[in-house]
Amino acid sequence: DQQVKQNSPSLSVQEGRISILNCDYTNSMFDYFLWYKKYPAEGPTFLISISSIKDKNEDGRFTVFLNKSAKHLSLHIVPSQPGDSAVYFCAASPESGTYKYIFGTGTRLKVLA
Amino acid sequence: GAVVSQHPSRVICKSGTSVKIECRSLDFQATTMFWYRQFPKQSLMLMATSNEGSKATYEQGVEKDKFLINHASLTLSTLTVTSAHPEDSSFYICSARPDRDPQYFGPGTRLTVL
C-alpha cells in the first residue's frame, strides 16, 4: 500500500522553463511534507518542506504547493537548469511524533539545455 | 546544511559474512537516526528508527536479528548486516535528525554480496 505516490516516473523540461513535479498521498494524518533531490549513488539532499498549516512555501527557485483537500503537493522549479536534472522524491511525515518519513517512488527530471 | 557521513561507501563481501556500516552526524547531535534501503529505480524504504541509548524500532518485515542497529552516541549509529546473502545487496542510506526536521541523509553505502 503506497501511501505516497509520484505518478510520473520521468519528466523532461527545457532549460529556463518551469518544472512541475507532483505527489499524492492517501493518509490525512500526514502533517509535514518534504522534497528531496537525489543523484545516482548518493544520498538525498533536502530541498524544501511545508507544514500542513500552510499551502505554499517558497525558497529561491523552488516553491512547494500543498492542497490538503486533494491530498496533493507539487514542487515548482523555475527557471529550470541543467543542474536540476536528478531524481526528486517527495516525503510525508505523520503526526504521531515518530519523525518517520514515507517516501514516494520518485520522478526523474531531465532538464534539456 | 548539516552533514552526515557514511562509511564505507562501497563494500563487497562473500555470502555468510557480516558487514558493518557507520553513520555519523558531523556537525550536529542526532537523537534519532534512520536506516533506509533502496533497490534500483525504487523508493527509499525505511528499515528502522535508531534512538540514542535505546533499542531500535524496526519496520514491519525487517528482521531485527539480521539487521543489527546500535546507536551508541548522539553522533554515531551503526548497521550490521549479519550473515549477508546476495538478496541483501542494496544501497543502504542513513539519515540523522537534529532537534527538528528535516532529516539529513548520508551519501549511502552500496553493498554487494557475492
PDB file of all heavy atoms in Angstrom, chain A residues 35-72:
ATOM      1  N   TRP A  35      10.503  17.740   0.048  1.00  0.00           N
ATOM      2  CA  TRP A  35      11.040  17.338  -1.237  1.00  0.00           C
ATOM      3  C   TRP A  35      12.554  17.179  -1.106  1.00  0.00           C
ATOM      4  O   TRP A  35      13.244  18.031  -0.532  1.00  0.00           O
ATOM      5  CB  TRP A  35      10.734  18.359  -2.326  1.00  0.00           C
ATOM      6  CG  TRP A  35       9.322  18.317  -2.807  1.00  0.00           C
ATOM      7  CD1 TRP A  35       8.277  19.080  -2.364  1.00  0.00           C
ATOM      8  CD2 TRP A  35       8.784  17.473  -3.834  1.00  0.00           C
ATOM      9  NE1 TRP A  35       7.129  18.766  -3.044  1.00  0.00           N
ATOM     10  CE2 TRP A  35       7.413  17.774  -3.960  1.00  0.00           C
ATOM     11  CE3 TRP A  35       9.326  16.501  -4.677  1.00  0.00           C
ATOM     12  CZ2 TRP A  35       6.576  17.136  -4.884  1.00  0.00           C
ATOM     13  CZ3 TRP A  35       8.501  15.863  -5.590  1.00  0.00           C
ATOM     14  CH2 TRP A  35       7.138  16.193  -5.686  1.00  0.00           C
ATOM     15  N   TYR A  36      13.044  16.058  -1.653  1.00  0.00           N
ATOM     16  CA  TYR A  36      14.462  15.783  -1.691  1.00  0.00           C
ATOM     17  C   TYR A  36      14.879  15.554  -3.134  1.00  0.00           C
ATOM     18  O   TYR A  36      14.103  15.057  -3.951  1.00  0.00           O
ATOM     19  CB  TYR A  36      14.797  14.530  -0.876  1.00  0.00           C
ATOM     20  CG  TYR A  36      14.828  14.714   0.621  1.00  0.00           C
ATOM     21  CD1 TYR A  36      13.656  14.625   1.382  1.00  0.00           C
ATOM     22  CD2 TYR A  36      16.026  14.963   1.279  1.00  0.00           C
ATOM     23  CE1 TYR A  36      13.689  14.784   2.759  1.00  0.00           C
ATOM     24  CE2 TYR A  36      16.066  15.112   2.668  1.00  0.00           C
ATOM     25  CZ  TYR A  36      14.902  15.019   3.391  1.00  0.00           C
ATOM     26  OH  TYR A  36      14.935  15.174   4.753  1.00  0.00           O
ATOM     27  N   LYS A  37      16.121  15.887  -3.387  1.00  0.00           N
ATOM     28  CA  LYS A  37      16.719  15.678  -4.702  1.00  0.00           C
ATOM     29  C   LYS A  37      17.805  14.631  -4.544  1.00  0.00           C
ATOM     30  O   LYS A  37      18.558  14.650  -3.566  1.00  0.00           O
ATOM     31  CB  LYS A  37      17.318  17.005  -5.155  1.00  0.00           C
ATOM     32  CG  LYS A  37      18.132  17.002  -6.414  1.00  0.00           C
ATOM     33  CD  LYS A  37      18.643  18.434  -6.632  1.00  0.00           C
ATOM     34  CE  LYS A  37      19.527  18.544  -7.834  1.00  0.00           C
ATOM     35  NZ  LYS A  37      20.019  19.925  -8.012  1.00  0.00           N
ATOM     36  N   LYS A  38      17.903  13.733  -5.494  1.00  0.00           N
ATOM     37  CA  LYS A  38      18.876  12.645  -5.352  1.00  0.00           C
ATOM     38  C   LYS A  38      19.574  12.367  -6.668  1.00  0.00           C
ATOM     39  O   LYS A  38      18.925  12.189  -7.709  1.00  0.00           O
ATOM     40  CB  LYS A  38      18.184  11.377  -4.840  1.00  0.00           C
ATOM     41  CG  LYS A  38      19.151  10.245  -4.521  1.00  0.00           C
ATOM     42  CD  LYS A  38      18.413   9.039  -4.012  1.00  0.00           C
ATOM     43  CE  LYS A  38      19.398   7.932  -3.645  1.00  0.00           C
ATOM     44  NZ  LYS A  38      20.234   7.494  -4.786  1.00  0.00           N
ATOM     45  N   TYR A  39      20.902  12.324  -6.591  1.00  0.00           N
ATOM     46  CA  TYR A  39      21.706  11.889  -7.722  1.00  0.00           C
ATOM     47  C   TYR A  39      22.022  10.405  -7.534  1.00  0.00           C
ATOM     48  O   TYR A  39      22.009   9.891  -6.400  1.00  0.00           O
ATOM     49  CB  TYR A  39      23.005  12.678  -7.804  1.00  0.00           C
ATOM     50  CG  TYR A  39      22.803  14.155  -8.102  1.00  0.00           C
ATOM     51  CD1 TYR A  39      23.104  15.123  -7.145  1.00  0.00           C
ATOM     52  CD2 TYR A  39      22.319  14.577  -9.338  1.00  0.00           C
ATOM     53  CE1 TYR A  39      22.925  16.466  -7.408  1.00  0.00           C
ATOM     54  CE2 TYR A  39      22.137  15.921  -9.612  1.00  0.00           C
ATOM     55  CZ  TYR A  39      22.440  16.856  -8.641  1.00  0.00           C
ATOM     56  OH  TYR A  39      22.262  18.196  -8.906  1.00  0.00           O
ATOM     57  N   PRO A  40      22.328   9.694  -8.612  1.00  0.00           N
ATOM     58  CA  PRO A  40      22.652   8.264  -8.505  1.00  0.00           C
ATOM     59  C   PRO A  40      23.789   8.010  -7.529  1.00  0.00           C
ATOM     60  O   PRO A  40      24.768   8.756  -7.506  1.00  0.00           O
ATOM     61  CB  PRO A  40      23.037   7.894  -9.935  1.00  0.00           C
ATOM     62  CG  PRO A  40      22.349   8.901 -10.793  1.00  0.00           C
ATOM     63  CD  PRO A  40      22.345  10.167 -10.002  1.00  0.00           C
ATOM     64  N   ALA A  41      23.652   6.974  -6.762  1.00  0.00           N
ATOM     65  CA  ALA A  41      24.689   6.538  -5.815  1.00  0.00           C
ATOM     66  C   ALA A  41      25.037   7.599  -4.774  1.00  0.00           C
ATOM     67  O   ALA A  41      26.147   7.599  -4.212  1.00  0.00           O
ATOM     68  CB  ALA A  41      25.949   6.092  -6.550  1.00  0.00           C
ATOM     69  N   GLU A  42      24.109   8.503  -4.513  1.00  0.00           N
ATOM     70  CA  GLU A  42      24.300   9.494  -3.456  1.00  0.00           C
ATOM     71  C   GLU A  42      23.064   9.508  -2.570  1.00  0.00           C
ATOM     72  O   GLU A  42      22.007   9.010  -2.933  1.00  0.00           O
ATOM     73  CB  GLU A  42      24.522  10.894  -4.037  1.00  0.00           C
ATOM     74  CG  GLU A  42      25.813  11.056  -4.803  1.00  0.00           C
ATOM     75  CD  GLU A  42      26.023  12.486  -5.258  1.00  0.00           C
ATOM     76  OE1 GLU A  42      25.290  13.393  -4.784  1.00  0.00           O
ATOM     77  OE2 GLU A  42      26.918  12.700  -6.087  1.00  0.00           O
ATOM     78  N   GLY A  43      23.216  10.096  -1.393  1.00  0.00           N
ATOM     79  CA  GLY A  43      22.063  10.251  -0.527  1.00  0.00           C
ATOM     80  C   GLY A  43      21.212  11.424  -0.965  1.00  0.00           C
ATOM     81  O   GLY A  43      21.672  12.321  -1.668  1.00  0.00           O
ATOM     82  N   PRO A  44      19.935  11.431  -0.572  1.00  0.00           N
ATOM     83  CA  PRO A  44      19.050  12.554  -0.915  1.00  0.00           C
ATOM     84  C   PRO A  44      19.491  13.853  -0.260  1.00  0.00           C
ATOM     85  O   PRO A  44      20.000  13.853   0.855  1.00  0.00           O
ATOM     86  CB  PRO A  44      17.692  12.108  -0.350  1.00  0.00           C
ATOM     87  CG  PRO A  44      17.809  10.634  -0.159  1.00  0.00           C
ATOM     88  CD  PRO A  44      19.235  10.375   0.160  1.00  0.00           C
ATOM     89  N   THR A  45      19.275  14.933  -0.967  1.00  0.00           N
ATOM     90  CA  THR A  45      19.576  16.276  -0.465  1.00  0.00           C
ATOM     91  C   THR A  45      18.263  17.009  -0.234  1.00  0.00           C
ATOM     92  O   THR A  45      17.423  17.073  -1.133  1.00  0.00           O
ATOM     93  CB  THR A  45      20.429  17.059  -1.473  1.00  0.00           C
ATOM     94  OG1 THR A  45      21.631  16.344  -1.719  1.00  0.00           O
ATOM     95  CG2 THR A  45      20.768  18.446  -0.951  1.00  0.00           C
ATOM     96  N   PHE A  46      18.108  17.564   0.947  1.00  0.00           N
ATOM     97  CA  PHE A  46      16.885  18.280   1.282  1.00  0.00           C
ATOM     98  C   PHE A  46      16.749  19.542   0.426  1.00  0.00           C
ATOM     99  O   PHE A  46      17.696  20.299   0.249  1.00  0.00           O
ATOM    100  CB  PHE A  46      16.901  18.661   2.765  1.00  0.00           C
ATOM    101  CG  PHE A  46      15.800  19.606   3.169  1.00  0.00           C
ATOM    102  CD1 PHE A  46      14.487  19.159   3.223  1.00  0.00           C
ATOM    103  CD2 PHE A  46      16.075  20.928   3.471  1.00  0.00           C
ATOM    104  CE1 PHE A  46      13.470  20.024   3.597  1.00  0.00           C
ATOM    105  CE2 PHE A  46      15.069  21.797   3.839  1.00  0.00           C
ATOM    106  CZ  PHE A  46      13.755  21.342   3.903  1.00  0.00           C
ATOM    107  N   LEU A  47      15.533  19.750  -0.097  1.00  0.00           N
ATOM    108  CA  LEU A  47      15.269  20.933  -0.916  1.00  0.00           C
ATOM    109  C   LEU A  47      14.377  21.927  -0.191  1.00  0.00           C
ATOM    110  O   LEU A  47      14.726  23.081   0.004  1.00  0.00           O
ATOM    111  CB  LEU A  47      14.579  20.517  -2.212  1.00  0.00           C
ATOM    112  CG  LEU A  47      15.445  19.970  -3.334  1.00  0.00           C
ATOM    113  CD1 LEU A  47      14.549  19.532  -4.476  1.00  0.00           C
ATOM    114  CD2 LEU A  47      16.463  20.982  -3.797  1.00  0.00           C
ATOM    115  N   ILE A  48      13.188  21.452   0.166  1.00  0.00           N
ATOM    116  CA  ILE A  48      12.189  22.364   0.703  1.00  0.00           C
ATOM    117  C   ILE A  48      11.130  21.551   1.425  1.00  0.00           C
ATOM    118  O   ILE A  48      10.931  20.368   1.109  1.00  0.00           O
ATOM    119  CB  ILE A  48      11.573  23.226  -0.430  1.00  0.00           C
ATOM    120  CG1 ILE A  48      10.756  24.402   0.127  1.00  0.00           C
ATOM    121  CG2 ILE A  48      10.753  22.366  -1.384  1.00  0.00           C
ATOM    122  CD1 ILE A  48      10.372  25.426  -0.950  1.00  0.00           C
ATOM    123  N   SER A  49      10.479  22.178   2.383  1.00  0.00           N
ATOM    124  CA  SER A  49       9.438  21.476   3.120  1.00  0.00           C
ATOM    125  C   SER A  49       8.233  22.393   3.317  1.00  0.00           C
ATOM    126  O   SER A  49       8.311  23.608   3.083  1.00  0.00           O
ATOM    127  CB  SER A  49       9.962  21.004   4.472  1.00  0.00           C
ATOM    128  OG  SER A  49      10.327  22.117   5.282  1.00  0.00           O
ATOM    129  N   ILE A  50       7.138  21.780   3.761  1.00  0.00           N
ATOM    130  CA  ILE A  50       5.946  22.571   4.044  1.00  0.00           C
ATOM    131  C   ILE A  50       5.147  21.886   5.137  1.00  0.00           C
ATOM    132  O   ILE A  50       5.019  20.651   5.146  1.00  0.00           O
ATOM    133  CB  ILE A  50       5.090  22.776   2.765  1.00  0.00           C
ATOM    134  CG1 ILE A  50       3.939  23.757   3.040  1.00  0.00           C
ATOM    135  CG2 ILE A  50       4.572  21.450   2.219  1.00  0.00           C
ATOM    136  CD1 ILE A  50       3.267  24.252   1.763  1.00  0.00           C
ATOM    137  N   SER A  51       4.645  22.679   6.033  1.00  0.00           N
ATOM    138  CA  SER A  51       3.775  22.176   7.081  1.00  0.00           C
ATOM    139  C   SER A  51       2.342  22.194   6.584  1.00  0.00           C
ATOM    140  O   SER A  51       1.986  22.980   5.713  1.00  0.00           O
ATOM    141  CB  SER A  51       3.915  23.065   8.319  1.00  0.00           C
ATOM    142  OG  SER A  51       2.857  22.839   9.226  1.00  0.00           O
ATOM    143  N   SER A  52       1.520  21.347   7.175  1.00  0.00           N
ATOM    144  CA  SER A  52       0.135  21.255   6.714  1.00  0.00           C
ATOM    145  C   SER A  52      -0.691  22.498   7.033  1.00  0.00           C
ATOM    146  O   SER A  52      -1.804  22.649   6.540  1.00  0.00           O
ATOM    147  CB  SER A  52      -0.541  20.028   7.335  1.00  0.00           C
ATOM    148  OG  SER A  52      -0.534  20.121   8.747  1.00  0.00           O
ATOM    149  N   ILE A  53      -0.157  23.398   7.829  1.00  0.00           N
ATOM    150  CA  ILE A  53      -0.901  24.624   8.135  1.00  0.00           C
ATOM    151  C   ILE A  53      -0.707  25.670   7.039  1.00  0.00           C
ATOM    152  O   ILE A  53      -1.353  26.709   7.053  1.00  0.00           O
ATOM    153  CB  ILE A  53      -0.494  25.215   9.497  1.00  0.00           C
ATOM    154  CG1 ILE A  53       0.988  25.606   9.522  1.00  0.00           C
ATOM    155  CG2 ILE A  53      -0.806  24.228  10.613  1.00  0.00           C
ATOM    156  CD1 ILE A  53       1.380  26.355  10.784  1.00  0.00           C
ATOM    157  N   LYS A  54       0.181  25.374   6.105  1.00  0.00           N
ATOM    158  CA  LYS A  54       0.428  26.308   5.005  1.00  0.00           C
ATOM    159  C   LYS A  54      -0.015  25.681   3.695  1.00  0.00           C
ATOM    160  O   LYS A  54      -0.196  24.460   3.596  1.00  0.00           O
ATOM    161  CB  LYS A  54       1.914  26.654   4.915  1.00  0.00           C
ATOM    162  CG  LYS A  54       2.457  27.432   6.104  1.00  0.00           C
ATOM    163  CD  LYS A  54       3.896  27.826   5.846  1.00  0.00           C
ATOM    164  CE  LYS A  54       4.410  28.721   6.954  1.00  0.00           C
ATOM    165  NZ  LYS A  54       5.818  29.164   6.687  1.00  0.00           N
ATOM    166  N   ASP A  55      -0.163  26.503   2.678  1.00  0.00           N
ATOM    167  CA  ASP A  55      -0.452  25.958   1.361  1.00  0.00           C
ATOM    168  C   ASP A  55       0.643  26.282   0.345  1.00  0.00           C
ATOM    169  O   ASP A  55       0.595  25.816  -0.796  1.00  0.00           O
ATOM    170  CB  ASP A  55      -1.817  26.428   0.848  1.00  0.00           C
ATOM    171  CG  ASP A  55      -1.946  27.928   0.837  1.00  0.00           C
ATOM    172  OD1 ASP A  55      -0.909  28.628   0.894  1.00  0.00           O
ATOM    173  OD2 ASP A  55      -3.091  28.435   0.767  1.00  0.00           O
ATOM    174  N   LYS A  56       1.620  27.033   0.784  1.00  0.00           N
ATOM    175  CA  LYS A  56       2.703  27.399  -0.129  1.00  0.00           C
ATOM    176  C   LYS A  56       3.951  27.737   0.672  1.00  0.00           C
ATOM    177  O   LYS A  56       3.876  28.365   1.733  1.00  0.00           O
ATOM    178  CB  LYS A  56       2.272  28.606  -0.971  1.00  0.00           C
ATOM    179  CG  LYS A  56       3.327  29.137  -1.929  1.00  0.00           C
ATOM    180  CD  LYS A  56       2.811  30.381  -2.662  1.00  0.00           C
ATOM    181  CE  LYS A  56       3.882  31.012  -3.529  1.00  0.00           C
ATOM    182  NZ  LYS A  56       3.383  32.230  -4.219  1.00  0.00           N
ATOM    183  N   ASN A  57       5.091  27.302   0.138  1.00  0.00           N
ATOM    184  CA  ASN A  57       6.367  27.703   0.720  1.00  0.00           C
ATOM    185  C   ASN A  57       7.360  27.882  -0.421  1.00  0.00           C
ATOM    186  O   ASN A  57       7.429  27.055  -1.325  1.00  0.00           O
ATOM    187  CB  ASN A  57       6.881  26.650   1.715  1.00  0.00           C
ATOM    188  CG  ASN A  57       8.089  27.129   2.489  1.00  0.00           C
ATOM    189  OD1 ASN A  57       8.279  28.335   2.660  1.00  0.00           O
ATOM    190  ND2 ASN A  57       8.905  26.207   2.960  1.00  0.00           N
ATOM    191  N   GLU A  58       8.096  28.977  -0.343  1.00  0.00           N
ATOM    192  CA  GLU A  58       8.974  29.333  -1.445  1.00  0.00           C
ATOM    193  C   GLU A  58      10.399  29.508  -0.940  1.00  0.00           C
ATOM    194  O   GLU A  58      10.636  30.071   0.126  1.00  0.00           O
ATOM    195  CB  GLU A  58       8.473  30.642  -2.066  1.00  0.00           C
ATOM    196  CG  GLU A  58       9.102  31.039  -3.367  1.00  0.00           C
ATOM    197  CD  GLU A  58       8.398  32.254  -3.992  1.00  0.00           C
ATOM    198  OE1 GLU A  58       7.332  32.641  -3.477  1.00  0.00           O
ATOM    199  OE2 GLU A  58       8.928  32.793  -4.958  1.00  0.00           O
ATOM    200  N   ASP A  59      11.344  29.015  -1.728  1.00  0.00           N
ATOM    201  CA  ASP A  59      12.756  29.188  -1.395  1.00  0.00           C
ATOM    202  C   ASP A  59      13.527  29.301  -2.694  1.00  0.00           C
ATOM    203  O   ASP A  59      13.833  28.306  -3.343  1.00  0.00           O
ATOM    204  CB  ASP A  59      13.266  28.002  -0.576  1.00  0.00           C
ATOM    205  CG  ASP A  59      14.714  28.186  -0.131  1.00  0.00           C
ATOM    206  OD1 ASP A  59      15.317  29.236  -0.439  1.00  0.00           O
ATOM    207  OD2 ASP A  59      15.239  27.277   0.540  1.00  0.00           O
ATOM    208  N   GLY A  60      13.800  30.534  -3.082  1.00  0.00           N
ATOM    209  CA  GLY A  60      14.529  30.758  -4.323  1.00  0.00           C
ATOM    210  C   GLY A  60      13.743  30.277  -5.526  1.00  0.00           C
ATOM    211  O   GLY A  60      12.600  30.649  -5.735  1.00  0.00           O
ATOM    212  N   ARG A  61      14.358  29.386  -6.291  1.00  0.00           N
ATOM    213  CA  ARG A  61      13.697  28.863  -7.494  1.00  0.00           C
ATOM    214  C   ARG A  61      12.671  27.779  -7.185  1.00  0.00           C
ATOM    215  O   ARG A  61      11.976  27.302  -8.078  1.00  0.00           O
ATOM    216  CB  ARG A  61      14.752  28.309  -8.451  1.00  0.00           C
ATOM    217  CG  ARG A  61      15.730  29.342  -8.996  1.00  0.00           C
ATOM    218  CD  ARG A  61      16.655  28.746 -10.064  1.00  0.00           C
ATOM    219  NE  ARG A  61      17.486  27.675  -9.551  1.00  0.00           N
ATOM    220  CZ  ARG A  61      17.399  26.403  -9.945  1.00  0.00           C
ATOM    221  NH1 ARG A  61      16.525  26.066 -10.873  1.00  0.00           N
ATOM    222  NH2 ARG A  61      18.199  25.490  -9.444  1.00  0.00           N
ATOM    223  N   PHE A  62      12.618  27.343  -5.948  1.00  0.00           N
ATOM    224  CA  PHE A  62      11.761  26.217  -5.565  1.00  0.00           C
ATOM    225  C   PHE A  62      10.546  26.687  -4.773  1.00  0.00           C
ATOM    226  O   PHE A  62      10.680  27.449  -3.824  1.00  0.00           O
ATOM    227  CB  PHE A  62      12.557  25.210  -4.727  1.00  0.00           C
ATOM    228  CG  PHE A  62      13.788  24.689  -5.409  1.00  0.00           C
ATOM    229  CD1 PHE A  62      15.027  25.283  -5.225  1.00  0.00           C
ATOM    230  CD2 PHE A  62      13.693  23.603  -6.263  1.00  0.00           C
ATOM    231  CE1 PHE A  62      16.152  24.801  -5.871  1.00  0.00           C
ATOM    232  CE2 PHE A  62      14.815  23.111  -6.911  1.00  0.00           C
ATOM    233  CZ  PHE A  62      16.047  23.712  -6.718  1.00  0.00           C
ATOM    234  N   THR A  63       9.389  26.217  -5.204  1.00  0.00           N
ATOM    235  CA  THR A  63       8.148  26.508  -4.485  1.00  0.00           C
ATOM    236  C   THR A  63       7.383  25.201  -4.322  1.00  0.00           C
ATOM    237  O   THR A  63       7.238  24.447  -5.288  1.00  0.00           O
ATOM    238  CB  THR A  63       7.279  27.518  -5.245  1.00  0.00           C
ATOM    239  OG1 THR A  63       8.026  28.714  -5.475  1.00  0.00           O
ATOM    240  CG2 THR A  63       6.025  27.862  -4.437  1.00  0.00           C
ATOM    241  N   VAL A  64       6.913  24.960  -3.121  1.00  0.00           N
ATOM    242  CA  VAL A  64       6.083  23.792  -2.883  1.00  0.00           C
ATOM    243  C   VAL A  64       4.668  24.271  -2.575  1.00  0.00           C
ATOM    244  O   VAL A  64       4.470  25.211  -1.811  1.00  0.00           O
ATOM    245  CB  VAL A  64       6.645  22.900  -1.751  1.00  0.00           C
ATOM    246  CG1 VAL A  64       6.832  23.673  -0.459  1.00  0.00           C
ATOM    247  CG2 VAL A  64       5.768  21.690  -1.527  1.00  0.00           C
ATOM    248  N   PHE A  65       3.710  23.621  -3.230  1.00  0.00           N
ATOM    249  CA  PHE A  65       2.300  23.916  -3.012  1.00  0.00           C
ATOM    250  C   PHE A  65       1.642  22.695  -2.375  1.00  0.00           C
ATOM    251  O   PHE A  65       1.900  21.567  -2.774  1.00  0.00           O
ATOM    252  CB  PHE A  65       1.604  24.224  -4.339  1.00  0.00           C
ATOM    253  CG  PHE A  65       2.091  25.476  -5.012  1.00  0.00           C
ATOM    254  CD1 PHE A  65       3.135  25.432  -5.926  1.00  0.00           C
ATOM    255  CD2 PHE A  65       1.506  26.703  -4.730  1.00  0.00           C
ATOM    256  CE1 PHE A  65       3.583  26.582  -6.555  1.00  0.00           C
ATOM    257  CE2 PHE A  65       1.950  27.867  -5.350  1.00  0.00           C
ATOM    258  CZ  PHE A  65       3.001  27.797  -6.260  1.00  0.00           C
ATOM    259  N   LEU A  66       0.777  22.945  -1.419  1.00  0.00           N
ATOM    260  CA  LEU A  66       0.064  21.871  -0.745  1.00  0.00           C
ATOM    261  C   LEU A  66      -1.436  22.099  -0.850  1.00  0.00           C
ATOM    262  O   LEU A  66      -1.938  23.156  -0.480  1.00  0.00           O
ATOM    263  CB  LEU A  66       0.471  21.790   0.723  1.00  0.00           C
ATOM    264  CG  LEU A  66      -0.268  20.759   1.587  1.00  0.00           C
ATOM    265  CD1 LEU A  66      -0.026  19.340   1.087  1.00  0.00           C
ATOM    266  CD2 LEU A  66       0.143  20.885   3.050  1.00  0.00           C
ATOM    267  N   ASN A  67      -2.133  21.098  -1.341  1.00  0.00           N
ATOM    268  CA  ASN A  67      -3.597  21.120  -1.407  1.00  0.00           C
ATOM    269  C   ASN A  67      -4.109  19.988  -0.528  1.00  0.00           C
ATOM    270  O   ASN A  67      -4.149  18.831  -0.941  1.00  0.00           O
ATOM    271  CB  ASN A  67      -4.062  20.936  -2.856  1.00  0.00           C
ATOM    272  CG  ASN A  67      -5.565  21.022  -3.007  1.00  0.00           C
ATOM    273  OD1 ASN A  67      -6.319  20.713  -2.083  1.00  0.00           O
ATOM    274  ND2 ASN A  67      -6.012  21.435  -4.169  1.00  0.00           N
ATOM    275  N   LYS A  68      -4.448  20.322   0.704  1.00  0.00           N
ATOM    276  CA  LYS A  68      -4.826  19.290   1.670  1.00  0.00           C
ATOM    277  C   LYS A  68      -6.105  18.591   1.290  1.00  0.00           C
ATOM    278  O   LYS A  68      -6.262  17.386   1.508  1.00  0.00           O
ATOM    279  CB  LYS A  68      -4.967  19.907   3.060  1.00  0.00           C
ATOM    280  CG  LYS A  68      -3.650  20.240   3.730  1.00  0.00           C
ATOM    281  CD  LYS A  68      -3.860  20.738   5.129  1.00  0.00           C
ATOM    282  CE  LYS A  68      -4.474  19.691   6.031  1.00  0.00           C
ATOM    283  NZ  LYS A  68      -4.661  20.184   7.410  1.00  0.00           N
ATOM    284  N   SER A  69      -7.056  19.321   0.747  1.00  0.00           N
ATOM    285  CA  SER A  69      -8.331  18.687   0.411  1.00  0.00           C
ATOM    286  C   SER A  69      -8.144  17.642  -0.677  1.00  0.00           C
ATOM    287  O   SER A  69      -8.817  16.617  -0.696  1.00  0.00           O
ATOM    288  CB  SER A  69      -9.361  19.735  -0.014  1.00  0.00           C
ATOM    289  OG  SER A  69      -8.907  20.439  -1.158  1.00  0.00           O
ATOM    290  N   ALA A  70      -7.214  17.908  -1.578  1.00  0.00           N
ATOM    291  CA  ALA A  70      -6.940  16.953  -2.650  1.00  0.00           C
ATOM    292  C   ALA A  70      -5.839  15.968  -2.280  1.00  0.00           C
ATOM    293  O   ALA A  70      -5.527  15.068  -3.048  1.00  0.00           O
ATOM    294  CB  ALA A  70      -6.545  17.692  -3.924  1.00  0.00           C
ATOM    295  N   LYS A  71      -5.228  16.174  -1.124  1.00  0.00           N
ATOM    296  CA  LYS A  71      -4.085  15.351  -0.700  1.00  0.00           C
ATOM    297  C   LYS A  71      -3.018  15.333  -1.797  1.00  0.00           C
ATOM    298  O   LYS A  71      -2.575  14.265  -2.272  1.00  0.00           O
ATOM    299  CB  LYS A  71      -4.518  13.926  -0.336  1.00  0.00           C
ATOM    300  CG  LYS A  71      -5.464  13.851   0.869  1.00  0.00           C
ATOM    301  CD  LYS A  71      -5.631  12.394   1.309  1.00  0.00           C
ATOM    302  CE  LYS A  71      -6.582  12.281   2.474  1.00  0.00           C
ATOM    303  NZ  LYS A  71      -7.980  12.598   2.125  1.00  0.00           N
ATOM    304  N   HIS A  72      -2.640  16.501  -2.174  1.00  0.00           N
ATOM    305  CA  HIS A  72      -1.721  16.651  -3.301  1.00  0.00           C
ATOM    306  C   HIS A  72      -0.711  17.755  -3.000  1.00  0.00           C
ATOM    307  O   HIS A  72      -1.063  18.800  -2.451  1.00  0.00           O
ATOM    308  CB  HIS A  72      -2.521  17.010  -4.567  1.00  0.00           C
ATOM    309  CG  HIS A  72      -1.681  17.279  -5.760  1.00  0.00           C
ATOM    310  ND1 HIS A  72      -1.215  16.272  -6.577  1.00  0.00           N
ATOM    311  CD2 HIS A  72      -1.206  18.440  -6.280  1.00  0.00           C
ATOM    312  CE1 HIS A  72      -0.494  16.795  -7.548  1.00  0.00           C
ATOM    313  NE2 HIS A  72      -0.471  18.112  -7.401  1.00  0.00           N
TER     314      HIS A  72
END
